Amino acid sequence: MAEKIKRIGVLTSGGDAPGMNAAIRAAVLTAIHFGVECVGIRRGYTGLISGDMLPLTAEHVAGISKHGGTMLYTARSEEFMTPEGQNRAADNCRFMGVEGLIIIGGDGSFRGAQTLADRGIPVIGIPGTIDNDIGCTSYTIGFDTACNTAVEAVDRLNDTMQSHERCSVVEVMGRCAGHLALNVGIATGATVTLIPEMVIDFETDVADRIRSARLSGKTNFTVIVAEGADMPAETVAAKIQEATGVDTRVTTLGHLQRGGPPLVRDRVTASRMGYKAVELLLTGTYNRIVCMRGDQIVDYDINEALAMTKGLDVDACLMQDALMSGQD
Ligand code: F6P
């Protein structure tokens, strides 16, 4: 049987996501519950390379679940992309007595974790990104809160678009994936949603839809454009104005979508995943990614997990297509 780990490290890496704090809290409190010490590493892999570590007690994590962002700070480390940086990070783990490391972040962060696992550091990944674009898990911490933040913003835009009989083109985040855009489009009753997974034909996918919505009596329109779509929001807006004559405005929601208090789904999922991560380390189950499948928290080997891919929910796309002819 593996010897019980005595000290666990936690770090957050890549873009922050609402709910990361709840995952940190759950990891710390679970470790304490089982008599294990927990330390935080500040600024992700950057902090691991420089040895920027702090002990984490129940006091440190009290009340953090309700806050967006990450109390441990986060970074995208250039140095960690190099073998020298990875060696230094692994050496520092050993030097700091970190016998198991929990990495909360996206798939780029997990690839970093893989390099530490290759150097003999036991790692566990927890998926935290507003993009929901990690292949092995049906849900990533922060997605629901980010969707709700974007939906609230679009609802507000709809009020003023209605008054002026305008078209609102709204760019949402999501990197190369359309999960965020698709859900925001469905929830706000958008006239058009453009995602990276589609090849855009402006006439049929945008102009014709706006024209037909106008013919059926609609006087204002919402077009959601994912940041990774193959036509930028500014271009979409200019083309709409030109092709339909509808007065059009562009709004980029940007980093607004990453902030704010995490909603219940993110706090609870993050807590479950933080607990599971520590449980895995304490049972000697190393180099895993904690995932969600249906309602269940499961885990996969890190190499297998990183080889998994996920597409958009096809049923949701078909449903969205049917609903876009509606009158919202
Ligand atoms: O991965 C999360 C995310 O917010 C993406 O949606 C976006 O493309 C990217 O991070 C923005 O990164 P940064 O905060 O470095 O500008």
Side-chain angles (χ1 to χ4, degrees):
M1 206 174 90
E3 206 178 307
K4 190 178 160 192
I5 279 181
K6 291 179 283 304
R7 179 182 279 183
I8 287 172
V10 188
L11 63 80
T12 48
S13 166
D16 63 352
M20 280 182 163
N21 279 327
I24 297 167
R25 173 181 177 271
V28 171
L29 295 184
T30 307
I32 293 170
H33 179 76
F34 289 110
V36 177
E37 208 183 310
C38 200
V39 296
I41 292 110
R42 276 184 285 237
R43 300 179 185 84
Y45 293 119
T46 305
L48 203 54
I49 290 171
S50 63
D52 187 359
M53 185 188 93
L54 75 161
L56 288 176
T57 63
E59 220 169 23
H60 287 108
V61 296
I64 64 168
S65 295
K66 59 177 172 287
H67 298 299
T70 159
M71 67 166 287
L72 289 175
Y73 305 95
T74 184
R76 303 185 203 273
S77 169
E78 294 273 317
E79 198 182 350
F80 190 69
M81 307 290 259
T82 66
E84 296 73 30
Q86 291 155 10
N87 287 339
R88 205 164 304 143
D91 287 346
N92 264 342
C93 273
R94 281 184 270 270
F95 179 69
M96 298 185 296
V98 170
E99 295 172 323
L101 184 64
I102 297 173
I103 293 110
I104 308 168
D107 53 3
S109 308
F110 296 162
R111 268 185 275 281
Q114 212 173 17
T115 70
L116 292 175
D118 291 343
R119 286 164 174 76
I121 306 298
V123 295
I124 304 289
I126 295 181
T129 163
I130 65 162
D131 302 336
N132 201 21
D133 62 347
I134 302 182
C136 58
T137 183
S138 55
Y139 189 77
T140 61
I141 296 166
F143 179 65
D144 189 44
T145 304
C147 282
N148 277 277
T149 303
V151 165
E152 189 190 331
V154 174
D155 285 348
R156 285 170 191 264
L157 286 167
N158 281 348
D159 291 346
T160 170
M161 295 301 140
Q162 180 271 323
S163 310
H164 288 267
E165 300 176 278
R166 282 174 172 161
C167 175
S168 175
V169 175
V170 187
E171 186 193 285
V172 302
M173 278 188 167
R175 208 178 282 275
C176 304
H179 305 282
L180 197 48
L182 178 66
N183 280 269
V184 173
I186 292 169
T188 58
T191 315
V192 175
T193 300
L194 301 176
I195 52 178
E197 292 81 355
M198 69 194 271
V199 178
I200 300 168
D201 176 331
F202 178 78
E203 269 306 305
T204 53
D205 295 328
V206 186
D208 283 353
R209 281 185 188 275
I210 292 176
R211 288 189 194 109
S212 97
R214 191 161 52 179
L215 278 176
S216 61
K218 207 164 155 49
T219 57
N220 66 94
F221 313 91
T222 299
V223 176
I224 304 295
V225 183
E227 64 175 347
D230 74 5
M231 191 178 285
E234 292 283 352
T235 309
V236 174
K239 281 166 126 356
I240 290 172
Q241 180 100 32
E242 194 192 324
T244 66
V246 178
D247 197 17
T248 302
R249 295 289 185 274
V250 187
T251 305
T252 301
L253 296 184
H255 291 81
L256 269 180
Q257 293 156 101
R258 289 236 297 261
L263 295 180
V264 172
R265 181 166 187 196
D266 286 317
R267 295 188 204 191
V268 173
T269 305
S271 301
R272 292 175 71 191
M273 288 183 166
Y275 175 86
K276 178 75 175 181
V278 174
E279 187 187 66
L280 288 170
L281 285 174
L282 296 188
T283 52
T285 319
Y286 302 153
N287 307 334
R288 314 287 293 175
I289 304 293
V290 176
C291 301
M292 184 149 238
R293 287 277 147 202
D295 286 344
Q296 299 299 309
I297 302 293
V298 297
D299 57 282
Y300 294 113
D301 169 78
I302 189 166
N303 297 314
E304 283 172 27
L306 281 170
M308 294 181 192
T309 53
K310 98 172 158 196
L312 282 185
D313 180 338
V314 176
D315 289 343
C317 292
L318 291 173
M319 184 264 286
Q320 145 103 343
D321 214 44
L323 301 193
M324 277 197 299
S325 55
Q327 282 290 313
D328 286 347

